[in-house]
Amino acid sequence: MSLLDEKYWKGLEELREDPKCLEERSREFADEIPLFAHMETSRRDFLKLLGFSFAGAALASCTRMPVEKAIPYLIQPEDVVPGVPNWYASTCGGCPSACGLLVKTRDGRPIKIEGNAESPLNAGGVCATGQATVLSLYDDARLKGPLLDGRPASWSEIDALVGRELADIAASGGKIVLLSGTLPSPSLRSLADEWVRKYPNAELVVYDAVSSSALLEAQELAFGERALPRHVFDKAKVIVGLNCDFLGTWISPVEFTRAYASRRKPDGEWVSRHIQFESRMSLTGANADLRIPVNPSEELGVAAALFNELSRMAGTGTQINAPLRGVDAERVAETAKELWSARGESLVVSGTNDLSVQIAVAAINSLLGNIGKTVDLDNPSFQRQGDDRAFQRLADELTQGKIAALIFAGVNPVYDAPDGAAFGQALKKVRLTVSLSDRLDETSSLAKIVAPESHALETWSDAQPNAFTYHVQQPVIRPLHDTRPASESLLRWMGRTETAYEFVKNYWAANLADSPWDDCVRNGLIALPPRDGGSRGLRSEALSRIAQKPAAELELALFEPIALRDGRHANNPWLQELPDPVTKITWDNYVSVAPATAREIGLQDGDVVTVKTGRGSLEIPVQIQPGQAARTLAIALGYGRTRCGKAGENVGVNAYPLVGAGAATLEKTGRRVELAATQTHHSMEGRPIVLETTLAEYKKNPAAGNEHREELKTLWAEHDYSGALWGMTIDLSACTGCSACVIGCQSENNVPVVGRDEVRRRREMHWIRIDRYYSGTEENPETVHQPMMCQHCQNAPCETVCPVLATVHSSDGLNQQVYNRCVGTRYCANNCPYKVRRFNWFEYARNDKFDFNMNSELGAMVLNPDIVVRSRGVMEKCSLCIQRIQEKKLSAKKEGRPLKDGEIQPACAQSCPAQAIVFGNLNDPASRTAKLNKDGRFYHVLEELNVRPNVGYLTKVRNKTNL
């Protein structure tokens, strides 16, 4: 079946042909010129007022950035050559996944983060959050030094006081607690254990705001070991997810995305079949071959029904007593058959922090023979270690006044614990409170002592994300402030004098002695052979712990967003402005409701409602989400920060107090807000922009879904590309929509942040966007993601209309933008069929109005000196990272050799965890890009316009049947 006849729509307003949507679609530019916004002045009249001459350009030049004189080195450092980048291997500190990194520095400044291709964990990919941590390094909200009772103090004063207090408390038998987040660092884990052993009544409590504690406990009950299994997605022919966003935020999304995408290519040995049961439309669900909406209380029923059907097929006679509600029993039975047909080559995963569901999932994988194959218990993951029961015990003891000293390391429970307010009140009963936070957050602002930890890019440490992978974390810049690593603080308070470097090096020498330290630092890792896995039997008593939760009229589903994660990155403006991959909303969280629920209550996008639960209530705007389960209300965590920095404070609402609430009600407040959404800016309008087919049709015809291509004639003079012709190919089957490429491009090309109000005016500046299109019904649509950037047309319509030759064609096929010629007529944007050009209204990067940008002395350190910071009144767009092309061309020329295919990697292609983007020379028939151009799935977007873009796409193939 060809999917060409599918009707695609970007939102419900387009599907329902809302009059306002139709009116907005008819307007090329919906924004007004700010200077004359109060006048009834058309764009043409404005140009007349300027005289449409170079006098206008002269006037605009008065507002451009002032000349700043550079100061040369007096004594040049040995390892720093001006204009030449240095690269260092390190480890990501953005989340406990602990991916391997390469960090690019210029003149001693880290400016770009990329994945370490040698790491078996992430193999060169890196997520949006990880890349954005380079901006967090230059965050003005970071503490400049330690604090004692709110005043600046010296480290010697802090160390003396903490040492005395801990000794006194230990001598009197008081309880000392080190409250830490997951510690992926093996050396820091060993130090924390040693630190606890030093004091007779001390305890280490590991707390994760977004927890996998139920999964860990279920593994202990089912298999006898509290360990997080390593999930091997590239060995799974059938994948079933139960409310598990493994491509977005669950445990190790970059690792999972790389493995998952490797088995989604239709010309591979086999294509995995992915079925997703979920309450909200997640990034993972949007990529599934079959997606089935279920409410949160129905998840256990689905897991039980799968187990019971599989048990019947296996003839074991064991059953789980949990009713199947709200889901078609035949659909569940068909899923069980598919799993049974792939015994030992299937995988069932759940992201729900519910013990009963996780036990049922463990039982299913055991029954299918997946243990030791796709569920690896012999090489466990160490990326989530939180213990909810231990944290609750701590909270109870804190309330009872039983804790004498409490040290916070990488946690913020006053903000993100369900009873955070009560936790904060109970801190008053603690004699000694110490926070290692890098800023005054909700918890550290209540602590007696703040001993700020250095940023991950300033620190010696290490990481062990799984049993056979060890990453080195080395500093790539001296600490910008008077901070120090958490390990050094713990060492000082134990009376030891080692530096973090000495401690980590000694740990590796003692525990990984076979590998030379310098080689480990240079490569950034040690990869050991994985232990041979074996199957383990399920403990039958585990099933007795399963208990059904009651359903409710409306149920709350809280989730971790792609960008901000658990809220630790709330002050990072790159991540605040990154559109959510599904809803395309920035700078806010919201309550997502199903279309049927919205109709029943009478809600529209932007209506502010009160969500009431047994654990509290909050006011939040509504977003109507196609595909959401009818009785589910979904809210993102990580927002509503009150102490983090000027970019992230008071953005959205804090939903952590509602964790565990379950049942909820909605009440309209009568107020409305406009959400800053980007997807409404772009529409397919009935054109074949995304193309799809099924795996069955592709096997019959590799051009299925793409049969209507025609050889078009042109009146244009052909360009002479005697050398290279640079082009790009994007595989829609591999692209998951994760948006890593968006942040990669933003970081590489100094793309500014514009803020909520400007996004509402359709003025976001991202050079690459991920368009998301739906097809099918609003109750359960299918989704496709399409990266869209400048297509670098050979017959570029922008070039013919520019009156000042600011957009020109290069000899190697690139459409180039000459910023110092541009006078901002925006004719090129009007003539671009792909709408990929961005107009700089306010000199965003250097305007006090946009003070979350890189316009401070500290924030400007993140800027890439190879890319000009664009001024107000000019047009900008994707350049295919021309600076990277030139760098590699010059290197090859100096070495007297030709360029190698794949040697040049634009930022978007390099960062992609799924390897969906391929760049190369179209004139080289041996290049991957040239070969993909001859693939049956290859097509150009809007090919019928004959603009001949150098960027092409491969048709998306869905595995509708398990072939």
Side-chain angles (χ1 to χ4, degrees), residues 179-372:
L179 180 60
S180 165
T182 287
L183 296 173
S185 165
S187 63
L188 190 54
R189 278 202 305 268
S190 71
L191 179 60
D193 292 338
E194 184 181 348
W195 192 88
V196 168
R197 289 194 299 270
K198 177 180 173 63
Y199 301 102
N201 193 19
E203 182 183 6
L204 170 66
V205 176
V206 180
Y207 160 70
D208 290 330
V210 179
S211 176
S212 294
S213 182
L215 175 55
L216 288 163
E217 188 176 350
Q219 298 304 303
E220 185 175 20
L221 290 169
F223 304 111
E225 183 179 358
R226 183 182 171 85
L228 194 70
R230 189 173 70 94
H231 298 88
V232 189
F233 283 88
D234 54 352
K235 292 183 179 179
K237 292 184 176 179
V238 178
I239 300 167
V240 174
L242 301 173
N243 272 325
C244 186
D245 192 10
F246 58 82
L247 299 179
T249 59
W250 189 63
I251 300 179
S252 190
V254 174
E255 175 189 7
F256 297 158
T257 297
R258 175 59 56 89
Y260 176 87
S262 70
R263 294 300 186 182
R264 302 293 287 174
K265 298 177 179 179
D267 51 355
E269 182 182 354
W270 48 267
V271 179
S272 64
R273 165 84 163 153
H274 176 196
I275 302 168
Q276 186 86 352
F277 296 85
E278 63 179 11
S279 305
R280 67 178 184 92
M281 175 74 83
S282 70
L283 178 66
T284 303
N287 284 276
D289 297 306
L290 175 62
R291 181 181 174 276
I292 303 166
V294 298
N295 293 296
S297 64
E298 297 164 353
E299 184 181 346
L300 178 59
V302 172
L306 286 173
F307 176 84
N308 294 341
E309 186 67 20
L310 291 167
S311 179
R312 184 189 62 77
M313 294 177 185
T316 65
T318 307
Q319 297 282 286
I320 296 176
N321 184 22
L324 180 65
R325 298 191 300 248
V327 184
D328 183 6
E330 185 177 346
R331 183 64 59 83
V332 176
E334 290 172 356
T335 302
K337 289 178 184 177
E338 294 199 49
L339 286 169
W340 187 253
S341 68
R343 296 186 299 281
E345 296 179 306
S346 56
L347 178 60
V348 181
V349 289
S350 171
T352 302
N353 195 33
D354 181 280
L355 181 61
S356 296
V357 174
Q358 293 294 352
I359 291 173
V361 168
I364 291 171
N365 282 315
S366 178
L367 195 59
L368 287 168
N370 294 335
I371 308 301

Side-chain angles (χ1 to χ4, degrees), residues 655-716:
Y656 276 111
L658 308 186
V659 169
T665 60
L666 274 186
E667 290 184 7
K668 297 170 69 173
T669 66
R671 296 186 290 111
R672 285 184 54 79
V673 297
E674 183 184 358
L675 295 169
T678 62
Q679 182 62 28
T680 55
H681 308 186
H682 314 290
S683 171
M684 284 186 62
E685 298 180 355
R687 300 168 296 179
I689 292 177
V690 293
L691 300 180
E692 298 183 73
T693 190
T694 65
L695 182 60
E697 288 296 316
Y698 174 80
K699 294 294 186 183
K700 297 175 186 174
N701 174 19
N706 188 26
E707 301 94 338
H708 302 292
R709 300 185 65 188
E710 296 181 9
E711 190 67 34
L712 299 173
K713 305 296 182 183
T714 180
L715 297 177
W716 292 59

Side-chain angles (χ1 to χ4, degrees), residues 58-225:
L59 176 65
S61 69
C62 297
T63 63
R64 298 194 177 186
M65 69 182 72
V67 174
E68 296 176 357
K69 296 181 179 179
I71 301 174
Y73 283 117
L74 181 62
I75 301 174
Q76 180 176 314
E78 245 179 61
D79 58 345
V80 175
V81 178
V84 177
N86 288 338
W87 291 87
Y88 299 92
S90 193
T91 302
C92 185
C95 77
S97 298
C99 295
L101 298 183
L102 295 179
V103 184
K104 179 182 181 180
T105 69
R106 282 290 298 269
D107 305 325
R109 299 177 293 112
I111 62 170
K112 182 72 172 62
I113 283 176
E114 298 185 354
N116 187 344
E118 302 302 316
S119 170
L121 185 80
N122 55 303
V126 63
C127 69
T129 305
Q131 293 178 84
T133 57
V134 71
L135 182 61
S136 300
L137 172 67
Y138 304 112
D139 188 350
D140 280 316
R142 290 177 60 204
L143 287 170
K144 308 304 186 284
L147 301 176
L148 173 60
D149 291 326
R151 64 170 177 82
S154 67
W155 281 108
S156 59
E157 185 180 6
I158 294 294
D159 293 341
L161 177 59
V162 173
R164 285 196 308 270
E165 287 285 277
L166 289 176
D168 289 347
I169 292 169
S172 62
K175 185 166 185 178
I176 301 170
V177 175
L178 174 60
L179 180 60
S180 165
T182 287
L183 296 173
S185 165
S187 63
L188 190 54
R189 278 202 305 268
S190 71
L191 179 60
D193 292 338
E194 184 181 348
W195 192 88
V196 168
R197 289 194 299 270
K198 177 180 173 63
Y199 301 102
N201 193 19
E203 182 183 6
L204 170 66
V205 176
V206 180
Y207 160 70
D208 290 330
V210 179
S211 176
S212 294
S213 182
L215 175 55
L216 288 163
E217 188 176 350
Q219 298 304 303
E220 185 175 20
L221 290 169
F223 304 111
E225 183 179 358

